[in-house]
Amino acid sequence: MIIIERIKDMRDWIKEQKKCQRSIGFVPTMGSLHEGHISLVRASKKDNDCTVISIFVNPTQFGENEDYDTYPRDLAKDSILAGRSGVDVIFAPSAKEIYPADYLTYVDVGEITELLCGKSRPGHFRGVTTVLCKLFNIVCPNRAYFGQKDAQQAVVVSKMVEDLNIDLEIVVCPIIREKDGLAMSSRNRYLDAAGRKSALILSRSLFEAEEMIKKGERDSRKILDFICDRISGEPGARLEYAEIVDAGTLRPVDTIEGKILAALAVRVGTTRLIDNIMLEI
Ligand code: AMP
């Protein structure tokens, strides 16, 4: 496995692979790798001849009062994990390499970026789509792999790829959870022991909601009231939003039918966590 920091070197490596007709799978990440990221690498290795993972804590997707400075960074540890899982290249550019001083261009996917997480994180998805558009142009992958954990991101990126005619396939992979149900996340590292316990309320309330739906409840309001009650009953957690939306449009639905997403964002102390379940009725 090699680590590449420069765009030019990354492009040269890609050109060599393309000359040999090798297909390229791409896994964009912000590093601090865990089993969720590695599941994307596995999926990519199954479908492609080579796998590139990017590790880039993207400044433009963080709000002013968010955790850009404190976001966990450990390239040495990430390299070991990535190497072990069979990644061919880690692309780890600096912020200056991606956003030189004269940088001007942004990609904005429009109103679906203002729903769900977009309400409390204005500009977040603009940063995400901008960096992904750049990374797609640098790596030119055949397929790019995303986690259902960031369900809105997967929908927004798929829309960008469709609208901008970017020639690649987006593959969305299931959420990887800890044994007790907590969705894996680099931000789980911020949690102390009490916070780690409180954080279980996200997956628990979603799984219980899933049971209610499976037993026949179709009224979104009732399910959401239940989730809100469960979360307000957990003193260490504060609900930012809970919504039931159409999985394609991300618009709220009153009645649970078709493909829906129950998604929530919760603060545990200062740590913002998200989780969701997708159901087809
Ligand atoms: P991040 O490093 O948090 O930006 O995540 C990089 C990619 O890994 C995104 O596509 C995420 O959706 C995906 N990912 C993060 N956590 C998980 C998880 N627990 N299960 C599956 N995919 C995940």
Side-chain angles (χ1 to χ4, degrees):
M1 189 193 66
I2 53 172
I3 301 177
I4 293 179
E5 292 178 353
R6 295 279 172 181
I7 293 170
K8 184 182 175 310
D9 297 339
M10 189 68 242
R11 280 194 197 286
D12 288 346
W13 189 87
I14 293 289
K15 267 187 212 140
E16 284 306 308
Q17 309 310 310
K18 300 247 164 180
K19 254 191 228 158
C20 308
Q21 316 269 311
R22 291 197 188 115
S23 61
I24 291 160
F26 179 45
V27 180
T29 82
M30 296 204 299
S32 191
L33 300 180
H34 52 68
E35 198 47 41
H37 299 114
I38 301 304
S39 72
L40 305 183
V41 169
R42 269 192 223 109
S44 168
K45 284 183 63 65
K46 203 149 61 74
D47 299 341
N48 302 282
D49 299 318
C50 11
T51 293
V52 177
I53 187 169
S54 61
I55 295 183
F56 179 63
V57 184
N58 174 33
T60 61
Q61 72 187 65
F62 287 80
E64 260 182 32
N65 299 316
E66 293 185 353
D67 54 344
Y68 175 70
D69 290 332
T70 52
Y71 196 85
R73 293 159 170 91
D74 192 345
L75 187 56
K77 198 165 160 215
D78 285 350
S79 315
I80 294 169
L81 257 181
R84 258 196 229 140
S85 57
V87 164
D88 296 285
V89 176
I90 295 180
F91 179 48
S94 67
K96 264 202 189 131
E97 182 77 359
I98 295 293
Y99 300 110
D102 58 349
Y103 192 81
L104 284 178
T105 306
Y106 290 86
V107 178
D108 199 334
V109 174
E111 61 186 25
I112 52 170
T113 67
E114 286 156 24
L115 306 168
L116 299 170
C117 289
K119 285 184 202 160
S120 53
R121 304 189 74 190
H124 167 68
F125 286 108
R126 181 178 185 253
V128 169
T129 45
T130 298
V131 80
L132 286 173
C133 190
K134 287 170 67 69
L135 291 169
F136 290 164
N137 279 328
I138 295 163
V139 177
C140 304
N142 299 76
R143 298 176 192 85
Y145 294 79
F146 291 87
Q148 179 61 26
K149 159 89 188 339
D150 297 86
Q152 186 175 13
Q153 171 171 275
V155 172
V156 169
V157 172
S158 299
K159 189 74 185 118
M160 173 185 78
V161 164
E162 181 192 338
D163 287 356
L164 295 183
N165 311 99
I166 302 177
D167 189 16
L168 61 83
E169 184 190 339
I170 297 289
V171 183
V172 183
C173 302
I175 300 177
I176 305 297
R177 299 179 179 279
E178 303 285 358
K179 280 204 185 79
D180 58 8
L182 179 68
M184 290 192 183
S185 163
S186 307
R187 289 190 169 100
N188 291 349
R189 290 174 198 209
Y190 296 145
L191 301 169
D192 60 15
R196 175 67 182 71
K197 265 193 199 151
S198 301
L200 279 180
I201 199 62
L202 283 89
S203 54
R204 281 199 182 141
S205 60
L206 285 170
F207 294 157
E208 287 167 14
E210 184 174 5
E211 279 308 305
M212 286 170 76
I213 295 168
K214 282 188 178 153
K215 283 187 184 141
E217 183 58 69
R218 293 291 175 266
D219 184 342
S220 294
R221 197 59 264 160
K222 285 195 181 142
I223 300 285
L224 290 174
D225 286 347
F226 167 79
I227 293 176
C228 293
D229 282 352
R230 285 292 273 120
I231 289 170
S232 56
E234 171 54 61
R238 188 164 51 80
L239 183 67
E240 186 180 289
Y241 73 76
E243 290 196 43
I244 297 180
V245 299
D246 178 281
T249 64
L250 303 181
R251 297 253 164 231
V253 294
D254 295 331
T255 306
I256 295 172
E257 59 189 351
K259 213 172 183 185
I260 62 106
L261 190 71
L264 42 83
V266 171
R267 291 226 177 239
V268 175
T270 53
T271 304
R272 183 178 183 278
L273 300 173
I274 56 171
D275 199 352
N276 68 82
I277 49 168
M278 186 137 81
L279 294 173
E280 190 149 16
I281 305 296

